[in-house]
Amino acid sequence: MGPEPHIWVRHEVRPEERRAPLVPADAARLVGGGATVTVEESPARVFPDEEYAAAGCRIVPAGTWPDAPDDCFILGLKDPGRPAGPPRHRHIYFAHAFKGQYGSAELLGAFAAGGGTLLDLEHLVDEAGRRLVAFGYWAGYAGAALAVLHARGRLDAPLRPARKAELDAALREPGARPATLVTGALGRCGRGARDALEVAGIEPTRWDVAETRRLDRRALLEHELLVHAVGTSRPAEPFVTTADLERGDRRLATIADVTCDVRSACHLLPCYDRTTRWERPVLRLPAGGRPVDVIAIDNLPSLLPAEASTAFSAGLAPLLAGLTVPGHPAWTRCERAFRRALWKEAGVA
């Protein structure tokens, strides 16, 4: 056994981000087990600073993580913003930088220059390559919910975070039930999407690996609403292209892309090329006089911050306790993924 970890939970700089990777109840368990947990103040986080203090965490000002001791693990969810110098700590967050995404070479180069380590939560996996912790269920739930509300003409912008009960009440209101397809229906995202659609009274068509291995493009385009929840780590045949949107037999009118692999070789919906934001959640594609609306928000679980954070933290906290265990299999795999990406993008072993 190694020394107990020092985990530094940073404030999220993204304006609409209210989630937390570690909730107060789980922080208390880590502290009780001997870990040190430092939490930055955050006016946006859905859990108040006072709850972390009561859990035994040390509270420090927001944005002070660059001055944290070298042995700290800096824990967050999204990009921390760029400090004055290259990163030197061990960072844990969703960087989405190991598949050649836009800006990945620059980010990995900065880690190489600073000597830091990026433990990307996307690559915290088991021996079969399955992700151990993810917000996927809540991403699928929120993505499908937004698509239904938009199809019914009831999606108000800018979006704002809510509780699940509030969102479910909106979904239960009477309205259209568009013919809906969920791709990746058996995965975490797909399950979340299906549950939201059930609340809305919609029974979707369900496609998973067997149905998408040989894509029936005409059948896909016959649906009015598509919730795309297929994640891939390698390029594959696109599901919807710009040419598909020009087809006269297309019924497809709304796409909710939960995966948001835009600007990546793994982008399976190349009919659009940029994500959407809370201020303007819908991108309208002028396709042959019959537009297609795309919802592609890359932090969908933030719309349900309390429920999403609680579920995510429950899976992550036990793994955080093992951060300093020599040869811990999950963290070792995660660091190896970083080293491979570093070599591929920055040429550093």
Side-chain angles (χ1 to χ4, degrees), residues 277-301:
R277 310 292 293 179
W278 289 35
E279 294 79 12
R280 298 184 65 182
V282 179
L283 171 66
R284 174 150 290 187
L285 304 178
R290 294 183 299 126
V292 174
D293 290 338
V294 176
I295 299 171
I297 296 171
D298 64 4
N299 63 337
L300 282 167

Side-chain angles (χ1 to χ4, degrees), residues 88-291:
R88 58 184 174 83
H89 293 97
R90 290 165 292 185
H91 285 257
I92 305 171
Y93 67 100
F94 286 103
H96 305 298
F98 295 177
K99 296 192 290 186
Q101 291 96 326
Y102 179 78
S104 60
E106 178 186 0
L107 176 63
L108 292 168
F111 271 94
T117 300
L118 173 53
L119 299 170
D120 192 328
L121 288 164
E122 188 178 7
H123 297 272
L124 187 60
V125 298
D126 64 14
E127 61 277 2
R130 294 183 293 262
R131 285 169 62 171
L132 294 171
V133 289
F135 283 101
Y137 176 88
W138 294 104
Y141 200 100
L146 294 183
V148 170
L149 293 176
H150 176 66
R152 292 175 175 175
R154 297 175 185 163
L155 183 61
D156 296 325
L159 303 178
R160 60 179 182 82
R163 291 279 182 170
K164 179 177 179 294
E166 182 182 357
L167 183 59
D168 287 355
L171 290 175
R172 289 193 180 101
E173 292 180 3
R177 298 181 182 181
T180 301
L181 169 65
V182 177
T183 55
L186 300 184
R188 287 189 182 99
C189 292
R191 292 199 307 272
R194 284 159 35 208
D195 285 352
L197 292 167
E198 181 180 357
V199 173
I202 297 171
E203 178 59 40
T205 303
R206 307 177 183 189
W207 286 6
D208 207 78
V209 175
E211 294 81 6
T212 57
R213 185 175 288 113
R214 292 186 176 180
L215 194 66
D216 187 340
R217 198 172 302 276
R218 181 172 181 175
L220 185 155
L221 296 173
E222 286 176 350
H223 292 84
E224 298 164 272
L225 191 159
L226 167 64
V227 181
H228 179 69
V230 174
T232 179
S233 58
R234 59 180 62 89
E237 179 187 1
F239 280 41
V240 181
T241 67
T242 301
D244 293 326
L245 302 187
E246 300 296 332
R247 289 178 52 156
D249 58 350
R250 167 180 61 84
R251 296 182 65 199
L252 184 65
T254 303
I255 298 173
D257 186 3
V258 179
T259 60
C260 288
D261 269 329
V262 183
R263 296 182 178 178
S264 163
C266 300
H267 187 31
L268 298 181
L269 299 175
C271 57
Y272 82 98
D273 61 1
R274 60 188 182 274
T275 56
T276 60
R277 310 292 293 179
W278 289 35
E279 294 79 12
R280 298 184 65 182
V282 179
L283 171 66
R284 174 150 290 187
L285 304 178
R290 294 183 299 126

